[in-house]
Amino acid sequence: MIDFQTSPDRYRHWKLAFDGAVATLTMDVDPTSTLAPGYELKMNSYDLGVDIELYDAIQRLRFEHPEVRAVVIASANPKIFCAGANIKMLGVSSHGHKVNFCKFTNETRNSIEDATANSQQKYLCAVSGTAAGGGYELALATDYIMMVDDGNTAVSLPEVPLLAVLPGTGGLTRVVDKRKVRRDLADIFCSIEEGVKGKRAVEWRLVDEVVPSSSFKDAVKARAAVMAATSDRPGGKGVTLTHPARAISADAVSYPHIEITFDRDNRAANITLKGPQTAAPTDVAAIHAQGVDFYPLALARELDDAILHLRANETSVATWVIRTEGSHDLVAGYDALLQKFGTSDWLVREILLYWKRTCKRLDVTSRTLFALVEPGSCFSGFMAEILFAVDRSYMLDGTFEGSDAQPATIRLSGLNFDGLPMGNGISRLATRFLGEPDSVAKAKDEIGKDLDAAACAALGLVTGTPDDIDWEDEIRLMIEERAAFSPDSLTGMEANLRFAGPETMETKIFGRLTAWQNWIFQRPNAVGEQGALKLYGTGKRAAYNQERV
Amino acid sequence: MIDFQTSPDRYRHWKLAFDGAVATLTMDVDPTSTLAPGYELKMNSYDLGVDIELYDAIQRLRFEHPEVRAVVIASANPKIFCAGANIKMLGVSSHGHKVNFCKFTNETRNSIEDATANSQQKYLCAVSGTAAGGGYELALATDYIMMVDDGNTAVSLPEVPLLAVLPGTGGLTRVVDKRKVRRDLADIFCSIEEGVKGKRAVEWRLVDEVVPSSSFKDAVKARAAVMAATSDRPGGKGVTLTHPARAISADAVSYPHIEITFDRDNRAANITLKGPQTAAPTDVAAIHAQGVDFYPLALARELDDAILHLRANETSVATWVIRTEGSHDLVAGYDALLQKFGTSDWLVREILLYWKRTCKRLDVTSRTLFALVEPGSCFSGFMAEILFAVDRSYMLDGTFEGSDAQPATIRLSGLNFDGLPMGNGISRLATRFLGEPDSVAKAKDEIGKDLDAAACAALGLVTGTPDDIDWEDEIRLMIEERAAFSPDSLTGMEANLRFAGPETMETKIFGRLTAWQNWIFQRPNAVGEQGALKLYGTGKRAAYNQERV
């Protein structure tokens, strides 16, 4: 099992150091601490295990360190800043593992950009020693790249010449779209194994600044101070991210607020999010006091871990059926806090951003996502966002026979319209109603109301509203049907239908770049017995089929 | 050899009929006239051969029929409007053929949208009998879809449930992005083999209108008349598209204005575009009189055919090295006409649009594109656009030793800034200079001037400007290097680096959708021995590997 929970005391590959408003995150990969056998993490190369620590560190910097306003990514290896994803690891990994690994590393790099842009925790990269492939892609995710000018240090994307794959962790996209490197120079850059160093790297926009060795340390420090000075992070006490309790058995995973049971026959997971049990605190001080137990944060952390766990460890579970259980009024109390303090309090802002990122993780999850709205559910405000992230949602019209429960309702809040954008930059409701923008306005008029099945159907908020007579059959058939389709075609279909409307650098990375990389990860020229990934390090040259397709 | 040249007298699958301002293009596929052995084109299904005729018909409607203002796409088969791409054909085709086939069909559907939007020749689709898969995707490319309401006729995208592939000819993208079908309804629609008919198809936005059988013919006629009424096409005499002369030998392809020679050792093609030999005509009447011999039209037609020929028939030729030969002043004469009459004269408008589409064909060509600017070249105005479509361009600084030729220059025109947008909706120069918009303005200031290597280097218009001493080695090494890389990784790299900046429905189709489809076209669930494409029609069920990746 791949565990995404870790903490600094268990890190094998990263070191965190603090100096006032500036933290330094130093990569120092232990070659022998690998996630799987069959390779060594030489030259600061990484596998998923290294990236799990990186992700954890980024999260902790945000939540545990309100005093940190700038983060320097550095390397403990004087020769190699970072050699990128370990090639031997890629060579021995299954197709599924490679794809899932790349998705997580992409999400982690996006979270660096999100921290810089939205948490005001600004990342810069201090490249000393070569940053190759994924090493440079890590630098690309930061807001400012400084490179030592020592005649040796270079940045490079050697994937095409060396490995017959792509710089697939955002590299190709960020080079032309974020750093706006001219396409012909980018083409040359991606063809040069040894990369580009010194002034030319600045001229081509590959890095922001080169600095002589002798003054590099001071220059990085000075630049970090400048970046920190523009941040609004207030300092003070952070929230320690203790691990949520989790119990994993053969047919269930449970957290304090999430229960997952598996319907193995239908290759489905039933995921129930439990609403808050107690009323929301009344002020910011109380939110801070609750810390990691504050319901929205607790839920986000559990859902995040659950998504990552299911993606990596339950690859045959193809359909996720998501339910909620709880009180609209209680959720609404927390939702109101998120809205009220989401811009003024650093912690509430962080929590809202975390929920945004967690919903985005759902958006790019290659599983069919269904939501069921049943009596007793609490799809309300930020939790209702799940309904607009899934592929289909069904809401029971009325109650189940013999039940005295109240019929299910849905409650919208301002967060469904603003504050939780998809990767495409617009809200899920705006994406949903691309063809009828008036429907967004109509839904907005219903904020705060308890909307029953008829109202939700009229507003177009759910896919269907079967009654008790049809409910069981309809849901069962839908789940069985999904299990009968090719998982690959579903992945492709969902990746195309979920992202109507604008495309952004982020959607380009998950759409265009990732899709091409996945294609290449299937091609014999990369992964065949004579392919470059397989032969790397053996001294043999790959034999390519020369046909262009 | 696959020949992309055809004409109505040779059509086997389409019938063209004219009634004043309205043309009807009727699909009537001859099952036995296939492009390759091993399948029959039953139920109005298509292979590349059918689509070559469709492309030809669309081109002729634009150029030969200025009186045609609306085009109805219809079917001669009363039960099946069109069953889409022939499955048996896909099952027996190589990966490369499938990919190339899809690319061409996508370009052809885009050309339908271009005709509607820009030639004011408006397409509508009259769906009588089921439009399945590629059949519905053809309808999606038109501006208005009418469907008969007869209890049988439906539109469907059964690829996922039936074939384990995607509706990859724009279907998924156009459903949510063009027709703005709600994503959950689109998800259901793509899961229903038999599709959606009648009122529901209108409610879901899948079609624009359903009409009872008895009044369908009249309703289509009336709608076509309405669409025709809003067109500005003037009528009059068209230009007959006689075939450009072409000679194909083992190591060369030649047209009147294009010479192609192959450097098989380096898997490269040397493509030389010859500039005009005579001065441009002085007025519109003379342009019309020259017709198919008017230089820009002749060049566009030859280049279009050459691109298609090389893509389909020279798949191991991985690098295209493009040169020009001729006089700037002569090209500038023609360029001025394109600018002067490009909006006011229907034929000049068509020629400009055709050049735009041809440049776009280059953009999505999965070959490395290089351009060489040597003494005697004529990269000028619309022909200079080639320089901004290629991956790299090199310009000789000075002359070759012993030559008394003038050093090469480049000349820009207004068309390099406006009138020839890429698929991303902005000009190639705007895309090139995404990071330095001032550079676009600077280049604009140089319109009409002869820019030598130093000037071009300063303006960033070319990749490099070696002198005579370095030229030969530098070019040779670059071509050899390219030949040594994996063709697949080059395809992926180029597809990502070429499209910085905005994404549009068109770039989404060639990026996101196509890339996912190509991935699926490699997956055993589709193309393996137990895959759905292989087993289709055998009565056996595909056995899927159930892992989601």
Side-chain angles (χ1 to χ4, degrees):
Chain A
M1 182 190 123
I2 298 172
D3 191 353
F4 290 81
Q5 293 186 356
T6 186
S7 50
D9 56 307
R10 287 153 56 191
Y11 289 178
R12 302 296 193 95
H13 308 297
W14 293 90
K15 292 181 170 52
L16 261 171
F18 299 90
D19 180 11
V22 177
T24 301
L25 187 49
T26 303
M27 192 177 206
D28 189 12
V29 176
D30 171 5
T32 62
S33 293
T34 62
L35 201 65
Y39 57 93
E40 274 187 41
L41 296 171
K42 291 178 185 165
M43 300 193 298
N44 256 2
S45 63
Y46 60 81
D47 66 358
L48 180 56
V50 177
D51 230 61
I52 287 172
E53 292 184 7
L54 174 61
Y55 176 59
D56 184 75
I58 294 165
Q59 289 288 99
R60 287 178 195 278
L61 282 164
R62 296 174 85 142
F63 282 98
E64 300 186 351
H65 298 279
E67 82 285 5
V68 170
R69 300 164 144 224
V71 181
V72 177
I73 296 186
S75 163
N77 185 321
K79 287 276 169 70
I80 307 282
F81 171 80
C82 167
N86 187 274
I87 317 302
K88 199 89 190 283
M89 176 277 293
L90 291 175
V92 300
S93 294
S94 69
H95 182 67
H97 183 78
K98 278 199 282 287
V99 169
N100 203 43
F101 163 67
C102 287
K103 183 169 288 175
F104 181 75
T105 54
N106 270 317
E107 290 173 316
T108 301
R109 275 126 201 89
N110 287 348
S111 81
I112 289 175
E113 287 178 337
D114 184 58
T116 299
N118 300 312
S119 293
Q120 295 283 310
Q121 197 167 60
K122 304 179 178 200
Y123 278 74
L124 83 138
C125 193
V127 179
S128 176
T130 290
Y136 178 49
E137 289 178 304
L138 178 59
L140 282 168
T142 69
D143 226 37
Y144 197 86
I145 307 176
M146 303 180 76
M147 185 164 75
V148 72
D149 194 4
D150 61 1
N152 167 49
T153 292
V155 293
S156 69
L157 291 176
E159 284 85 346
V160 170
L162 211 56
L163 306 168
V165 298
L166 300 184
T169 313
L172 292 176
T173 311
R174 285 201 176 86
V175 163
V176 293
D177 267 299
K178 181 180 184 179
R179 299 201 60 92
K180 300 183 169 60
V181 175
R182 229 174 61 201
R183 57 172 278 198
D184 51 352
L185 303 178
D187 183 286
I188 295 177
F189 174 58
C190 295
S191 306
I192 305 176
E193 271 181 44
E194 66 276 19
V196 172
K197 59 191 172 186
K199 263 186 221 161
R200 172 181 273 194
V202 179
E203 283 165 14
W204 287 14
R205 304 173 175 281
L206 296 166
V207 306
D208 292 287
E209 192 181 349
V210 287
V211 182
S213 301
S214 55
S215 49
F216 190 62
K217 217 171 156 181
D218 290 342
V220 169
K221 199 171 172 177
R223 169 58 58 175
V226 167
M227 290 174 81
T230 64
S231 166
D232 66 4
R233 287 175 75 86
K237 201 170 160 294
V239 168
T240 304
L241 297 180
T242 52
H243 292 148
R246 183 184 63 186
I248 299 178
S249 65
D251 286 313
V253 182
S254 79
Y255 301 87
H257 306 92
I258 299 180
E259 286 292 336
I260 303 171
T261 59
F262 297 105
D263 171 4
R264 302 265 178 213
D265 289 346
N266 289 311
R267 298 190 295 108
N270 288 297
I271 303 173
T272 303
L273 312 186
K274 295 184 222 163
Q277 297 297 304
T278 54
T282 50
D283 58 24
V284 165
I287 296 172
H288 284 249
Q290 289 189 5
V292 81
D293 298 321
F294 179 61
Y295 175 77
L297 176 54
L299 184 70
R301 298 193 68 218
E302 295 173 23
L303 183 56
D304 193 19
D305 189 69
I307 294 170
L308 294 172
H309 171 72
L310 293 178
R311 275 194 199 164
N313 301 306
E314 294 284 357
T315 54
S316 292
V317 173
T319 303
W320 295 358
V321 183
I322 307 177
R323 293 174 176 83
T324 55
E325 237 178 57
S327 147
H328 275 312
D329 289 337
L330 288 178
V331 178
Y334 289 89
D335 193 85
L337 290 175
L338 296 178
Q339 291 188 70
K340 190 169 176 190
F341 301 111
T343 51
S344 60
D345 179 71
W346 75 268
L347 176 59
V348 181
R349 177 172 75 184
E350 277 309 327
I351 294 168
L352 198 54
L353 290 170
Y354 192 15
W355 189 251
K356 176 190 76 174
R357 294 196 302 281
T358 306
C359 290
K360 284 187 186 183
R361 234 200 249 289
L362 272 181
D363 294 332
V364 297
T365 289
S366 70
R367 299 291 191 282
T368 292
L369 306 174
F370 290 147
L372 299 183
V373 188
E374 295 168 335
S377 66
C378 59
F379 285 105
S380 193
F382 71 96
M383 292 181 75
E385 199 61 18
I386 302 279
L387 291 174
F388 314 126
V390 298
D391 298 301
R392 301 188 201 173
S393 57
Y394 288 86
M395 183 170 184
L396 182 73
D397 187 2
T399 58
F400 291 119
E401 199 187 337
S403 157
D404 58 359
Q406 290 296 306
T409 58
I410 287 169
R411 205 188 280 181
L412 300 175
S413 86
L415 291 178
N416 302 119
F417 300 86
D418 190 23
L420 298 170
M422 293 176 62
N424 66 5
I426 60 176
S427 72
R428 283 176 189 78
L429 281 176
T431 305
R432 181 177 184 84
F433 294 125
L434 211 56
E436 20 185 285
D438 286 357
S439 295
V440 179
K442 274 185 208 154
K444 213 166 181 173
D445 288 340
E446 306 297 320
I447 283 177
K449 297 182 193 160
D450 286 328
L451 305 168
D452 64 12
C456 289
L459 290 165
L461 296 176
V462 292
T463 310
T465 55
D467 62 17
D468 177 43
I469 296 168
D470 297 324
W471 180 264
E472 204 184 311
D473 276 356
E474 195 158 321
I475 304 304
R476 183 179 51 78
L477 288 172
M478 179 175 75
I479 293 169
E480 287 175 5
E481 178 187 78
R482 214 69 173 189
F485 292 167
S486 156
D488 304 323
S489 62
L490 288 174
T491 294
M493 180 179 98
E494 291 155 3
N496 281 279
L497 294 182
R498 288 178 184 169
F499 297 92
E503 297 252 355
T504 63
M505 193 171 69
E506 195 172 311
T507 64
K508 270 189 185 184
I509 288 171
F510 288 116
R512 182 182 281 270
L513 179 58
T514 295
W516 281 113
Q517 179 76 305
N518 291 357
W519 174 70
I520 288 165
F521 276 160
Q522 283 281 293
R523 298 286 291 160
N525 283 342
V527 297
E529 287 309 311
Q530 303 297 314
L533 270 190
K534 284 281 180 208
L535 293 183
Y536 183 78
T538 63
K540 291 181 200 153
R541 269 181 82 88
Y544 296 135
N545 174 318
Q546 299 292 9
E547 200 185 343
R548 283 290 292 241
V549 299
Chain B
M1 183 192 123
I2 298 173
D3 190 353
F4 289 82
Q5 293 186 355
T6 185
S7 50
D9 55 308
R10 287 153 57 189
Y11 289 177
R12 302 296 192 97
H13 309 297
W14 293 90
K15 293 182 169 53
L16 262 171
F18 298 90
D19 180 11
V22 177
T24 301
L25 188 48
T26 302
M27 191 177 207
D28 189 11
V29 176
D30 172 5
T32 61
S33 294
T34 63
L35 202 65
Y39 57 91
E40 275 187 41
L41 296 170
K42 291 178 185 165
M43 301 194 298
N44 256 3
S45 63
Y46 59 83
D47 66 359
L48 179 57
V50 177
D51 230 60
I52 287 172
E53 292 184 7
L54 174 62
Y55 175 60
D56 184 75
I58 294 165
Q59 289 288 97
R60 288 179 194 277
L61 282 164
R62 296 174 85 143
F63 281 98
E64 300 186 352
H65 297 280
E67 82 285 5
V68 170
R69 301 164 142 222
V71 181
V72 178
I73 296 187
S75 163
N77 184 323
K79 287 276 169 69
I80 307 281
F81 172 79
C82 167
N86 187 274
I87 317 304
K88 199 87 190 286
M89 176 277 292
L90 290 174
V92 301
S93 294
S94 70
H95 182 67
H97 183 78
K98 279 199 282 287
V99 170
N100 204 42
F101 164 67
C102 287
K103 183 170 287 175
F104 180 75
T105 55
N106 270 318
E107 291 173 316
T108 301
R109 275 125 202 89
N110 287 348
S111 80
I112 289 175
E113 287 178 337
D114 184 58
T116 299
N118 300 313
S119 292
Q120 295 283 311
Q121 196 168 59
K122 304 182 176 198
Y123 277 75
L124 84 140
C125 194
V127 179
S128 178
T130 290
Y136 178 49
E137 288 177 305
L138 177 60
L140 282 168
T142 69
D143 226 37
Y144 197 86
I145 307 176
M146 302 179 77
M147 185 164 76
V148 72
D149 194 5
D150 61 2
N152 167 50
T153 292
V155 293
S156 68
L157 292 176
E159 284 86 346
V160 170
L162 211 56
L163 306 168
V165 298
L166 300 184
T169 314
L172 292 175
T173 310
R174 286 201 175 86
V175 163
V176 293
D177 267 298
K178 181 180 184 180
R179 300 202 59 92
K180 301 183 169 60
V181 175
R182 230 173 62 201
R183 57 172 277 198
D184 51 353
L185 303 178
D187 183 285
I188 295 178
F189 174 58
C190 296
S191 306
I192 305 177
E193 272 180 43
E194 67 277 20
V196 171
K197 58 191 172 185
K199 263 187 220 160
R200 173 180 273 194
V202 179
E203 283 166 13
W204 286 15
R205 303 175 176 280
L206 298 165
V207 305
D208 292 287
E209 192 181 350
V210 287
V211 182
S213 302
S214 55
S215 50
F216 190 63
K217 217 171 157 181
D218 289 343
V220 169
K221 198 170 173 177
R223 169 59 56 176
V226 167
M227 290 173 80
T230 63
S231 167
D232 67 3
R233 287 175 74 86
K237 202 169 160 294
V239 169
T240 304
L241 298 180
T242 51
H243 293 148
R246 184 183 62 187
I248 300 177
S249 66
D251 285 312
V253 182
S254 79
Y255 301 86
H257 306 91
I258 300 180
E259 287 291 337
I260 304 171
T261 58
F262 298 104
D263 170 5
R264 302 262 177 215
D265 289 345
N266 289 311
R267 299 191 295 108
N270 289 297
I271 303 173
T272 302
L273 312 186
K274 295 184 221 164
Q277 298 298 305
T278 54
T282 51
D283 58 24
V284 164
I287 296 172
H288 284 248
Q290 290 190 4
V292 81
D293 297 321
F294 179 61
Y295 175 77
L297 177 55
L299 185 69
R301 297 193 69 220
E302 294 172 24
L303 183 56
D304 193 19
D305 190 69
I307 294 171
L308 293 172
H309 171 73
L310 293 178
R311 276 194 198 164
N313 301 307
E314 294 285 357
T315 55
S316 292
V317 173
T319 303
W320 295 358
V321 183
I322 306 176
R323 292 172 175 84
T324 54
E325 237 178 58
S327 145
H328 276 312
D329 289 336
L330 288 177
V331 178
Y334 288 89
D335 193 86
L337 290 175
L338 295 179
Q339 291 188 71
K340 188 168 178 192
F341 300 112
T343 51
S344 60
D345 178 72
W346 76 267
L347 175 60
V348 182
R349 176 171 76 185
E350 276 312 326
I351 293 168
L352 198 53
L353 290 170
Y354 191 15
W355 189 250
K356 177 190 77 175
R357 293 196 303 282
T358 306
C359 290
K360 284 187 186 184
R361 234 199 249 289
L362 272 180
D363 293 332
V364 297
T365 289
S366 70
R367 299 290 191 283
T368 292
L369 305 174
F370 291 146
L372 299 184
V373 188
E374 295 168 336
S377 66
C378 60
F379 286 104
S380 193
F382 72 97
M383 291 182 75
E385 198 62 18
I386 301 279
L387 290 174
F388 314 126
V390 299
D391 298 302
R392 301 187 200 174
S393 56
Y394 288 85
M395 183 169 184
L396 182 72
D397 187 1
T399 58
F400 292 119
E401 199 187 336
S403 158
D404 58 359
Q406 289 297 305
T409 58
I410 288 170
R411 204 188 283 182
L412 300 175
S413 87
L415 290 177
N416 302 119
F417 300 87
D418 191 24
L420 298 170
M422 294 176 61
N424 66 5
I426 61 176
S427 72
R428 284 177 189 77
L429 280 176
T431 305
R432 182 178 184 84
F433 294 126
L434 211 58
E436 20 183 286
D438 286 357
S439 295
V440 180
K442 273 185 211 155
K444 213 166 182 173
D445 288 340
E446 306 298 319
I447 283 178
K449 296 183 194 159
D450 286 327
L451 306 168
D452 65 12
C456 289
L459 290 165
L461 296 177
V462 292
T463 310
T465 54
D467 62 15
D468 177 44
I469 296 168
D470 297 325
W471 181 263
E472 203 183 312
D473 277 355
E474 195 157 323
I475 305 304
R476 184 178 51 77
L477 288 172
M478 179 175 75
I479 293 169
E480 287 175 4
E481 178 187 76
R482 214 68 173 192
F485 292 167
S486 156
D488 304 324
S489 61
L490 288 175
T491 294
M493 180 180 98
E494 291 155 4
N496 281 280
L497 294 182
R498 288 178 185 171
F499 297 92
E503 297 251 357
T504 62
M505 194 171 70
E506 196 172 311
T507 63
K508 270 190 186 185
I509 289 171
F510 288 117
R512 182 182 281 272
L513 179 57
T514 296
W516 281 112
Q517 179 77 304
N518 291 357
W519 175 69
I520 288 166
F521 276 159
Q522 283 282 292
R523 298 285 292 159
N525 283 342
V527 297
E529 288 308 312
Q530 303 298 313
L533 269 189
K534 284 281 179 206
L535 294 183
Y536 184 78
T538 63
K540 289 182 201 154
R541 270 181 82 86
Y544 295 135
N545 175 318
Q546 298 293 8
E547 201 185 343
R548 283 290 293 241
V549 299

